[in-house]
Amino acid sequence: MIPARARRALAGLLLLAATACATGPSLESQGEVTAPPGDSRELTVGSAGFTESDLLAQMYALLLERAGYSTDIISVTNREIYEPALESGQIDVVPEYAATFADWLNAKANGADATPVGSPDLTATMKALRALAAPRGLTVLDPGRAVDQNAFAVAASYAKKHGLKTLGDLGRAELPVRLAAGDECVQRPYCAPGLRKTYGIDIVAVDPKGVGTTQAKQAVQNGQDQMVLTTTTDATLDRFGLVLLEDDKKLQNADHVVPVVNRARAGGDGVRDALGRLNTVLTTADLASMNEQVDSWRRLPEDVARTYLESRKLIPKS
């Protein structure tokens, strides 16, 4: 027999699939938000379907349950589907990333060619994000300490040989650098063009091996490439003998983890307080460690999330 929680999640997935082409209410018809925020006691938490999002969704659900809410978790890998579902109330809360989500909503509202609003400045990014979210009936809660943003790693031996701790050091070293990354790195301002402009790094080629893939890391490990594009929550770097170089001139955007909620159903103080308990505790290193436990140690996201929250005394031990 399928448990009730799983049945509700399955029903939600079927409903989302049936309305995959739907969008939330048009901005023209939404008007000014004047109704008080809602506080439904039964909430659906959305996950974007990758390890870190699954972990965050599990932590959100456990914290909400601790605060007296009943929760389901739905995994929807496509933002084009789960964001309209968040607007319509089919999903009540999702973990997001401040700058990335701000730029996504900006493109949705103003077109794909709209000037990006995400930036390395967290305060400015959050202001822009909240302004874009509010007309859609969404509330963006406070960001925490954890950041999952693009990052660049080199072989530890290469860093030691050339005295590298920061991307600025690499630019000043004037070394030719082959960069293992995705195809889009050639044009993305945070990637090869930004490394050249902001740091003066001599990117001689982009090796299209993907973002943080095993193949890309191996290429840097064996010296075929000198640097790899990965993320700040990548917990596998030690395994390949790699180290991150600090983004000392703040090229990357402020992609702090932020909960986004449907205001009419989950915009009250209860949800805000429950999820806010994670803000001063969860760090980038914590997320990296939990990602490793799921991806490398094959532990279940729910078990890893529960153990973490128990260890930080955010929920009682079961």
Side-chain angles (χ1 to χ4, degrees):
M1 177 179 293
I2 301 176
R5 175 169 169 169
R7 286 201 303 272
R8 291 195 297 271
L10 177 59
L13 280 172
L14 294 174
L15 181 58
L16 287 174
T19 59
C21 295
T23 61
S26 68
L27 293 180
E28 292 79 6
S29 65
Q30 285 175 341
E32 185 177 355
V33 178
T34 57
D39 190 31
S40 173
R41 308 310 292 179
E42 294 185 359
L43 299 175
T44 298
V45 180
S47 163
F50 57 93
T51 296
E52 187 169 293
S53 189
D54 288 344
L55 284 163
L56 289 165
Q58 291 287 349
M59 285 190 284
Y60 287 4
L62 289 166
L63 289 168
L64 289 167
E65 289 171 1
R66 170 64 173 161
Y69 294 89
S70 174
T71 66
D72 297 320
I73 296 176
I74 290 179
S75 181
V76 185
T77 59
N78 190 321
R79 188 179 276 119
E80 284 75 11
I81 296 176
Y82 74 68
E83 189 278 331
L86 184 62
E87 290 186 33
S88 68
Q90 292 171 281
I91 294 175
D92 301 304
V93 54
V94 295
E96 264 292 357
Y97 301 91
T100 295
F101 196 47
D103 284 337
W104 193 88
L105 288 179
N106 187 41
K108 184 175 181 178
N110 301 309
D113 295 329
T115 302
V117 296
S119 76
D121 185 330
L122 177 60
T123 300
T125 296
M126 287 297 297
K127 182 178 179 180
L129 173 55
R130 284 172 166 153
L132 288 160
R136 298 186 176 277
L138 305 180
T139 296
V140 183
L141 305 186
D142 291 338
R145 298 166 60 194
V147 186
D148 186 351
Q149 60 191 177
N150 294 301
F152 297 91
V154 298
S157 57
Y158 180 85
K160 183 177 181 180
K161 178 180 178 180
H162 298 288
L164 307 177
K165 293 184 178 180
T166 69
L167 290 170
D169 291 339
L170 182 57
R172 288 186 289 273
E174 299 182 347
L175 298 165
V177 174
R178 278 176 53 91
L179 175 61
D183 292 336
E184 69 280 3
C185 180
V186 174
Q187 296 180 328
R188 292 280 177 88
Y190 68 79
C191 204
L195 291 172
R196 294 188 181 103
K197 181 178 179 180
T198 302
Y199 288 104
I201 297 174
D202 183 16
I203 304 294
V204 296
V206 173
D207 189 2
K209 286 184 164 60
V211 179
T213 63
T214 296
Q215 184 183 22
K217 292 171 192 170
Q218 288 174 337
V220 176
Q221 182 183 39
N222 64 29
Q224 177 184 346
D225 298 330
Q226 285 72 51
M227 188 161 67
V228 59
L229 170 62
T230 182
T231 68
T232 52
T233 58
D234 186 339
T236 67
L237 296 177
D238 285 348
R239 191 186 316 161
F240 296 92
L242 307 182
V243 293
L244 290 179
L245 295 182
E246 180 189 348
D247 180 19
D248 50 318
K249 294 184 180 179
K250 307 298 181 187
L251 172 62
Q252 302 305 319
N253 285 341
D255 259 330
H256 292 244
V257 174
V258 290
V260 182
V261 304
N262 177 287
R263 184 180 187 277
R265 288 183 48 81
D269 290 341
V271 171
R272 183 185 300 274
D273 292 345
L275 299 183
R277 300 180 67 202
L278 198 58
N279 283 358
T280 59
V281 177
L282 183 67
T283 67
T284 302
D286 291 340
L287 266 183
S289 175
M290 286 189 280
N291 285 337
E292 181 179 32
Q293 291 176 57
V294 174
D295 291 337
S296 298
W297 306 355
R298 301 306 180 190
R299 294 188 62 195
L300 294 175
E302 182 174 4
D303 293 340
V304 174
R306 183 180 296 278
T307 299
Y308 176 79
L309 294 180
E310 290 176 350
S311 72
R312 299 303 191 271
K313 296 181 171 55
L314 294 178
I315 62 173
K317 289 189 176 182
S318 54

